Amino acid sequence: MVKSETVLVSPSKVNTALTIKVDKTECAPTDWVKISGKLKRQDTGEGLGGKTVSLWVNGIQEATTTTGSDGSYSFNYRIPEEGRYDFYTHFDGDDKFWGCDSPLVTVTAARIPTKITISVSPRTGPPPLEATISGKITDIDGNPIAVKIELYIDGSKVDEKFSNPDGTYSFKYTFTEPRVYEVYTMFPGNVKYEGCERSMMEEEAW
């Protein structure tokens, strides 16, 4: 009897790779960022479905998901505040496939500059003079925003209210003395928008 040659068989796990992309690299706080990509075999490029992929943001695991039949995955992440956000995805591996990390992608979040206008009507008249202080607030591109506006008279806050969806606002104030008043409105800023510089105007009541 003639024996065949002995062949050594040494099964090994398959290397994998993760791709990653984001739908934006610059945004404002509170915006949503979509992170997506694909888990695949390194040797053939075949997508690996049914595998658990985790999302890491600035070194902290934030979420997990299961890849689709073609190896694709996606996450939606809401940016909480200003700053730099480094994203990558991770596959732990299993009994058939080695684990891997995706490349790093960075998203930068910055507050949006704003601008405000002001007008006072009437500007002169005998006291008590009831005047309307109005204006509009927008982002730097002219898009109206609904935010809290503060009214100051002679450096003291006397009222506050939210602007309308079209960015307009209006206050009523009665000037009781015949003198010059300093009047301005102000948006102090919030997590998404920068505060406005003060828009000042002098008001005389005769």
Side-chain angles (χ1 to χ4, degrees), residues 9-202:
V9 178
S10 179
S12 62
K13 294 198 286 187
V14 177
N15 289 327
T16 59
L18 272 166
T19 64
I20 187 172
K21 64 180 180 179
V22 291
D23 64 346
K24 57 178 72 74
T25 57
E26 295 181 349
C27 66
T30 75
D31 284 354
W32 288 91
V33 175
K34 182 177 181 180
I35 304 100
S36 59
K38 190 172 184 179
L39 174 66
K40 56 188 178 179
R41 297 173 59 123
Q42 267 194 358
D43 54 358
T44 64
E46 176 189 0
L48 299 176
K51 305 299 183 183
T52 299
V53 171
S54 55
L55 172 67
W56 292 71
V57 184
N58 291 344
I60 298 173
Q61 182 177 322
E62 294 288 351
T64 61
T65 192
T66 302
T67 58
S69 58
D70 63 349
S72 63
Y73 68 87
S74 67
F75 297 94
N76 289 301
Y77 180 81
R78 193 176 191 188
I79 301 294
E81 59 187 8
E82 285 186 295
R84 169 178 167 150
Y85 293 83
D86 293 326
F87 295 90
Y88 73 90
T89 51
H90 173 77
F91 170 52
D92 278 340
D94 56 24
D95 57 344
K96 293 183 179 180
F97 299 98
W98 292 109
C100 64
D101 291 332
S102 75
L104 198 70
V105 292
T106 298
V107 174
T108 302
R111 292 194 299 169
I112 301 171
T114 59
K115 53 186 178 181
I116 191 170
T117 64
I118 184 173
S119 65
V120 181
S121 180
R123 295 191 61 183
T124 61
L129 177 65
E130 184 179 67
T132 299
I133 299 129
S134 59
K136 185 174 183 178
I137 184 166
T138 66
D139 66 19
I140 195 65
D141 296 320
N143 301 306
I145 56 176
V147 292
K148 186 171 68 176
I149 307 298
E150 300 175 347
L151 171 64
Y152 286 80
I153 306 293
D154 292 336
S156 297
K157 186 170 78 171
V158 297
D159 202 355
E160 65 180 30
K161 63 173 57 177
F162 276 84
S163 57
N164 299 311
D166 64 356
T168 59
Y169 67 88
S170 180
F171 296 94
K172 294 286 189 181
Y173 187 81
T174 300
F175 299 92
T176 58
E177 299 178 6
R179 63 180 179 84
V180 175
Y181 294 83
E182 182 189 53
V183 181
Y184 63 88
T185 51
M186 179 179 182
F187 168 49
N190 60 22
V191 67
K192 184 169 186 175
Y193 295 101
E194 291 181 357
C196 296
E197 293 184 0
R198 297 173 179 178
S199 180
M200 297 186 181
M201 180 174 292
E202 289 187 345

